[in-house]
């Protein structure tokens, strides 16, 4: 088809309309073909994205637990690294590995069958779970991106989460609320729990975590 033939077609209104229609049809066929052969867009699964954004699990840190009951103060200091732990309680040094607890006496480690304090109660993961199940009240954010948050929780739920359900056997706990203050930055660093409303006298728990996920190994010679 030469230029004169094309020019003649364009001068004929019917032929011109038909030609334009054919051109549009060919154009849309080409566009559709390009779209169908192009790579499909990647749709992020929100659940998978959440998994990616999840913080690394906390399996090592140093800690100080300070329990104040009226004028009586109990302090436990320790270091946890995965399944191994050293801690000081009531002036005595302990070592635990794979849930076997030993006390350091007379220069040697002696295995013991029980301890009168639940050393797992205030573990990082337990406290994190406690906070997640508490009701948020307020938060202050500081210039260094650290935060101080206040929560409250029913005392029954508190004891239930820390495996102390029997504490509500002799008293009605349903209407008793306690306050929890959390200081954090990238991780939880300090927690203050006020149990005064339950005990009806000054009873507080202060927890400090440091060197979070920064413990390389535990040398038990350090507990002597």
């Amino acid at each position: 088809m030469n230029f004169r033939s094309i020019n003649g077609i364009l001068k004929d209104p019917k032929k011109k309309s038909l030609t334009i229609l054919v051109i549009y049809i060919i154009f849309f066929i080409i566009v559709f073909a390009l779209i169908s052969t192009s790579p499909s867009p990647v749709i992020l699964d929100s659940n998978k994205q959440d998994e990616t954004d999840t913080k690394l699990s906390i399996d090592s840190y140093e800690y100080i637990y300070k329990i104040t009951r009226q004028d009586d103060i109990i302090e436990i200091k320790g270091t946890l690294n995965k399944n191994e732990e050293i801690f000081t309680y009531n002036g005595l040094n302990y070592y635990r590995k794979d849930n076997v607890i030993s006390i350091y006496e007379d220069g040697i480690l002696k295995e013991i069958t029980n301890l009168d304090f639940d050393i797992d109660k205030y573990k990082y993961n337990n406290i994190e779970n406690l906070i997640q199940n508490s009701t948020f009240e307020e938060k202050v954010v500081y210039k260094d991106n650290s935060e101080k948050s206040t929560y409250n929780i029913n005392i029954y739920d508190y004891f239930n989460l820390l495996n102390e359900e029997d504490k509500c056997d002799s008293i009605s706990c349903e209407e008793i609320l306690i306050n929890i203050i959390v200081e954090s930055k990238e991780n939880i660093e300090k927690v203050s729990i006020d149990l005064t409303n339950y005990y009806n006298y000054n009873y507080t728990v202060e927890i400090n975590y440091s060197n979070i996920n920064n413990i390389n190994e535990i040398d038990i010679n350090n507990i002597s």
Side-chain angles (χ1 to χ4, degrees), residues 81 83-86 95-102 220:
N81 184 32
N83 65 331
E84 193 174 17
E85 184 174 7
I86 55 174
Y95 171 71
R96 180 170 74 166
K97 186 172 183 180
D98 297 326
N99 293 322
V100 176
I101 300 178
S102 300
I220 61 172

Side-chain angles (χ1 to χ4, degrees), residues 37 39 62 83 85 129 135 158 189 207:
T37 55
E62 293 176 337
N83 65 331
E85 184 174 7
N129 184 49
T135 301
Y158 171 84
E189 296 179 352
I207 304 167

Side-chain angles (χ1 to χ4, degrees), residues 109-122:
L109 285 170
K110 298 178 182 178
E111 186 178 328
I112 60 175
T113 56
N114 57 65
L115 187 69
D116 64 357
F117 178 83
D118 181 5
I119 196 66
D120 287 332
K121 184 190 303 184
Y122 303 126

Side-chain angles (χ1 to χ4, degrees), residues 154-155 172-177:
N154 180 276
I155 193 68
S172 175
C173 294
E174 294 179 0
E175 297 183 2
I176 301 176
L177 292 178

Side-chain angles (χ1 to χ4, degrees), residues 117-162:
F117 178 83
D118 181 5
I119 196 66
D120 287 332
K121 184 190 303 184
Y122 303 126
K123 287 180 71 170
Y124 187 98
N125 292 336
N126 289 344
I127 295 302
E128 185 177 46
N129 184 49
L130 173 66
I131 294 166
Q132 290 172 351
N133 285 277
S134 298
T135 301
F136 171 77
E137 292 294 321
E138 61 185 23
K139 176 170 67 176
V140 177
V141 180
Y142 300 95
K143 290 183 178 180
D144 63 352
N145 292 323
S146 61
E147 300 177 355
K148 185 176 183 179
S149 304
T150 301
Y151 299 83
N152 67 50
I153 188 172
N154 180 276
I155 193 68
Y156 177 83
D157 296 328
Y158 171 84
F159 287 137
N160 186 53
L161 288 166
L162 296 184

